Amino acid sequence: MRNKLGILLFVFVTFTTSLFSQGQIRVMSYNLLNFNNLTSYCTAENNSYQAKAGYLATIVSNQQPDILCCCEVGKSYQSLAYTISYILGNSLNVNGVTRWASAPASGSEYLNNALFYDKTKLKLVAQTKVNTDIREINIYKLKHLSTNDTLKVAIVHLKAGTGYESQRGTEIQQLVNYLTTQGNNDNFIVCGDFNIYNASEPAFQNLVNPSYLPIAFYDPVNQMGAWTNNWNFSEYHTQSTHSGNSDCFSGGGMDDRFDFILMSGSIINGSKGITYTPNSYWSVGQDGNRFNGAINSPTNNTLPSNVIDALYNMSDHLPVVAELTFNNVGYASESTDASFQSIVQNPANDELVVRLRTEKPREFVVNVYSALGRLVLSYSVQVSNDEVVARNISDLPNGVYIVSIKSEGVSVSHRVVKAE
């Protein structure tokens, strides 16, 4: 039996390794700060959309995203369709670039969402929306032209300000209700400006701890806590790029984590062909040394100075980027039990970190096999709800391992790479 398991695991690892990294897609989420939207404080003089188009062009050229999810796309001049077309022609398809397309305009508010994508890699196959009392949540389905994998993207821009936690929670609950009717959130990301101050807010909890576990989302960098005005999260703060109040921009410096790219369990685990690329999540331009300060002072060496200047002048938010690997077949298997989910940190270093989530208490057996099918580690753990379990694997050589998790009604496996 052991020899047969070894052969199967060897074939499994060889097959998945050969398919790994067949397609890389970079996602960027960005609040464009009243782009073509004029107010009493954001005027044609201090908030020129023509000038902002140039700043956005500089940032996109530097970061090279394949999917661009935008909030605060306005229509003070002409229409939302005009603004989207203007961004396409003046920020994206510039300097000989012709790869960008956009989803049709959707939204009737003065601030709306918009999606842009690389048409040489992706095709928009469906588009819908979830209506809320504040703003609509836009949902897009994209197909990868080379691998045929599909990715669903929701763009949210939640109600801003303290005292509106309940309203933000209700907005997200509408998205959760939609996903519940779909039965899952396979290969799904939620991005945008959440305007939340800590992980305990209803809006965030509705996503990461929903009552229906199959639609749970995850923070790929797993930075939970009270983010606002907290130095411990300075590496992940996205607002504000300005230290002082100035015209259209919010001030106060970098001390809020408002902008996110959250991912479904299938992406974290790679069980449906698309996987988050480890260590690719970044608040662009953030070096962790900006706490309550501006993005450009003191000198910021994370990017060329013209890009840092563009980030400062473009918006009071930083964009967030993350990379996804497509056609990552066989990276993990799934449980048929909808009341259970497992997430394994990958790659692993000196510890194997497994998150087990269950709607009923039960005991799990975790077995770790080498690529040749040899059992190298086995342990059991009792979980009542949601538990993160870490085991020391510093004595194991670097390489590929299969983590098998079993319990009553549960049998899943994960491919994990141990690396320094």
Side-chain angles (χ1 to χ4, degrees), residues 384-412:
S384 59
N385 179 251
D386 187 347
E387 187 167 341
V388 177
V389 182
R391 285 292 186 275
N392 189 298
I393 57 170
S394 58
D395 58 334
L396 296 179
N398 292 343
V400 177
Y401 295 85
I402 304 300
V403 179
S404 170
I405 301 170
K406 292 186 177 182
S407 184
E408 178 186 357
V410 171
S411 180
V412 299

Side-chain angles (χ1 to χ4, degrees), residues 4 6 49 51-52 54 63-64 71 117 123 131 206 212 245 252 268 291 297 322 324 335 337 351 361 403 410:
K4 182 181 288 187
Y49 72 90
K52 289 167 75 80
Q63 288 298 299
Q64 292 292 306
C71 299
Y117 60 94
K123 178 182 179 181
N131 291 313
N206 287 346
Y212 184 53
N245 292 321
I268 298 296
F291 185 60
S297 181
L324 304 175
S335 169
D337 188 340
E351 284 190 326
V403 179
V410 171

Side-chain angles (χ1 to χ4, degrees), residues 6 36 71 104 113 115 160 171 181 233 275 293 346 351 376 378 408 410:
N36 191 16
C71 299
N113 302 322
L115 180 84
E171 287 181 87
T181 65
F233 295 102
T275 301
N346 190 48
E351 284 190 326
V376 296
S378 181
E408 178 186 357
V410 171

Side-chain angles (χ1 to χ4, degrees), residues 51-64:
K52 289 167 75 80
Y55 301 136
L56 182 58
T58 297
I59 296 163
V60 169
S61 176
N62 175 265
Q63 288 298 299
Q64 292 292 306

Side-chain angles (χ1 to χ4, degrees), residues 48-290:
S48 163
Y49 72 90
Q50 294 94 339
K52 289 167 75 80
Y55 301 136
L56 182 58
T58 297
I59 296 163
V60 169
S61 176
N62 175 265
Q63 288 298 299
Q64 292 292 306
D66 304 294
I67 299 173
L68 176 60
C69 308
C70 297
C71 299
E72 295 207 14
V73 181
K75 53 178 184 175
S76 287
Y77 293 104
Q78 300 189 42
S79 64
L80 177 60
Y82 167 82
T83 306
I84 290 174
S85 177
Y86 191 89
I87 291 172
L88 270 177
N90 295 273
S91 299
L92 304 178
N93 288 326
V94 296
N95 299 321
V97 173
T98 60
R99 66 187 178 97
W100 285 98
S102 66
S106 178
S108 57
E109 301 296 326
Y110 64 95
L111 290 176
N112 303 277
N113 302 322
L115 180 84
F116 304 89
Y117 60 94
D118 184 340
K119 63 184 179 183
T120 69
K121 297 180 180 180
L122 300 158
K123 178 182 179 181
L124 180 67
V125 295
Q127 178 176 344
T128 188
K129 63 181 179 180
V130 173
N131 291 313
T132 78
D133 290 339
I134 310 297
R135 300 183 186 94
E136 67 183 43
I137 296 172
N138 301 102
I139 301 174
Y140 309 89
K141 184 177 181 181
L142 295 162
K143 180 179 180 180
H144 194 283
L145 296 178
S146 297
T147 70
N148 289 323
D149 294 304
T150 57
L151 173 70
K152 284 157 278 188
V153 180
I155 305 178
V156 304
H157 183 198
L158 305 184
K159 178 70 175 177
T162 57
Y164 293 101
E165 292 80 4
S166 176
Q167 287 89 332
R168 289 191 286 271
T170 300
E171 287 181 87
I172 289 297
Q173 188 59 51
Q174 298 304 309
L175 174 61
V176 168
N177 293 345
Y178 167 82
L179 292 171
T180 301
T181 65
Q182 304 300 302
N184 62 67
N185 65 350
D186 292 341
N187 289 346
F188 210 117
I189 63 174
V190 179
C191 58
D193 179 3
F194 286 50
N195 277 312
I196 55 178
Y197 296 91
N198 60 72
S200 64
E201 274 206 32
F204 198 76
Q205 286 299 305
N206 287 346
L207 288 170
V208 300
N209 286 311
S211 56
Y212 184 53
L213 194 54
I215 62 169
F217 286 88
Y218 295 85
D219 178 8
V221 289
N222 196 31
Q223 294 295 316
M224 302 296 181
W227 304 296
T228 292
N229 204 30
N230 187 338
W231 178 86
N232 292 311
F233 295 102
S234 57
E235 185 179 348
Y236 304 96
H237 287 154
T238 62
Q239 207 261 358
S240 170
T241 57
H242 289 229
S243 59
N245 292 321
S246 57
D247 301 325
C248 189
F249 297 83
S250 296
M254 304 299 303
D255 59 5
D256 286 301
R257 188 188 183 194
F258 285 163
D259 306 88
F260 293 82
I261 302 175
L262 300 182
M263 303 178 185
S264 61
S266 63
I267 292 179
I268 298 296
N269 277 332
S271 58
K272 293 290 185 180
I274 302 175
T275 301
Y276 166 65
T277 305
N279 304 316
S280 66
Y281 191 102
W282 187 35
S283 301
V284 177
Q286 181 60 270
D287 57 5
N289 299 316
R290 308 284 125 191

Side-chain angles (χ1 to χ4, degrees), residues 360-378:
K360 62 180 180 180
R362 47 187 159 186
E363 183 179 39
F364 294 91
V365 176
V366 180
N367 291 322
V368 181
Y369 297 91
S370 71
L372 295 178
R374 183 172 67 88
L375 181 66
V376 296
L377 177 64
S378 181

